[in-house]
Amino acid sequence: MVARVLFRAVIMGPPGSGKGTVSERIVKHFALKHLSSGDLLRTNVQNKTEVGVIAKSFIDQGQLVPDDVITRLILQELHKINETSWLLDGFPRTVSQAMALDKAFHINSVIDLNVPFQTIKGRLTARWIHPASGRVYNTEFNPPKVPEVDDLTGEPLIQREDDKPETVTKRLKGYEALTRPVLEYYQNKGVLETFSGTETNKIWPHVYAFLQAKLPDVNQK
């Protein structure tokens, strides 16, 4: 019997790059376990775990969770699924996090979604929300019948602070400054695969073809 080869991947891309959609498709086709550092952090904070309490003390002060705390949280979780192939999302964000991950696990591939900032800015700033229901509109793809008004209730829509043009610009610049060294680190290790484009549906076939050469598509019998 042939031993199953474990495949460990990291997906990177700025907020609004389509990372969530691409991750969902990877999980669906290649049966990788998707692990999001943001989700994991929120769960630990809510459950008041030891690491969650420490992380919350930084979050409450508006500070980034330190490398050693987030690294401990992620590695703890990855060791629980030691016999599983996985896709890691939102970690590592710094070179020291990447080095700590490398010491613990062999990373096969780092998938980098390279979407122009102008495209992302257009996507994110086009998003409007109905606060009471959580209904999301997009002025480009799914606009409300009346601008800035919810279709069902007639109540005003809001733009999240995160989606305001000045905030989006700041987030994108912050992402680039923080993660460029991480991308360079993985490029030097020969595991970085960059997929460029402006539309997720056009980027996806290239990501799919790359992974299909390495893994079986579980949907193909």
Side-chain angles (χ1 to χ4, degrees), residues 4-216:
R4 193 167 59 91
V5 178
L6 292 176
F7 187 83
R8 274 76 185 260
V10 171
I11 187 164
M12 298 184 71
S17 61
K19 205 156 48 99
T21 304
V22 171
S23 294
E24 276 174 24
R25 291 178 186 179
I26 290 173
V27 168
K28 181 184 164 194
H29 284 279
F30 300 105
L32 300 185
K33 164 103 174 143
H34 180 235
L35 204 70
S36 157
S37 63
D39 291 348
L40 200 53
L41 198 53
R42 279 186 287 276
T43 303
N44 275 266
V45 168
Q46 282 166 3
N47 294 343
K48 298 185 171 64
T49 65
E50 186 193 343
V51 181
V53 170
I54 296 168
K56 189 174 185 296
S57 67
F58 290 95
I59 294 165
D60 287 349
Q61 293 172 56
Q63 295 175 7
L64 284 173
V65 180
D67 278 357
D68 60 327
V69 177
I70 193 78
T71 299
R72 184 176 150 202
L73 177 68
I74 298 293
L75 293 185
Q76 209 168 271
E77 199 63 28
L78 290 177
H79 283 300
K80 286 182 196 168
I81 54 169
N82 205 24
E83 296 304 309
T84 310
S85 293
W86 41 253
L87 177 69
L88 193 49
D89 178 356
F91 182 95
R93 287 182 189 237
T94 65
V95 172
S96 67
Q97 289 176 8
M99 289 169 80
L101 180 62
D102 266 347
K103 277 183 188 163
F105 296 95
H106 171 69
I107 302 301
N108 300 89
S109 295
V110 175
I111 295 161
D112 170 39
L113 303 182
N114 178 31
V115 179
F117 278 6
Q118 219 36 52
T119 301
I120 292 173
K121 203 170 168 183
R123 274 182 201 173
L124 295 182
T125 57
R127 189 161 55 181
W128 290 77
I129 291 170
H130 177 240
S133 68
R135 265 187 295 282
V136 178
Y137 296 87
N138 186 296
T139 52
E140 290 178 26
F141 314 117
N142 172 37
K145 289 168 187 162
V146 178
E148 298 180 31
V149 174
D150 180 52
D151 288 352
L152 298 184
T153 63
E155 292 168 353
L157 301 174
I158 63 157
Q159 198 166 35
R160 289 188 331 171
E161 200 59 47
D162 271 3
D163 295 336
K164 289 181 178 171
E166 58 279 13
T167 314
V168 169
T169 300
K170 194 174 164 190
R171 281 170 74 201
L172 291 174
K173 283 182 176 169
Y175 172 85
E176 185 174 38
L178 197 62
T179 57
R180 185 167 293 284
V182 182
L183 293 174
E184 286 170 359
Y185 170 82
Y186 282 126
Q187 190 162 23
N188 291 336
K189 289 184 76 71
V191 294
L192 183 70
E193 290 292 329
T194 299
F195 300 91
S196 302
T198 56
E199 293 174 46
T200 302
N201 284 341
K202 288 185 178 172
I203 291 176
W204 165 246
H206 299 286
V207 176
Y208 175 80
F210 166 71
L211 287 173
Q212 198 189 25
K214 298 172 177 293
L215 293 164

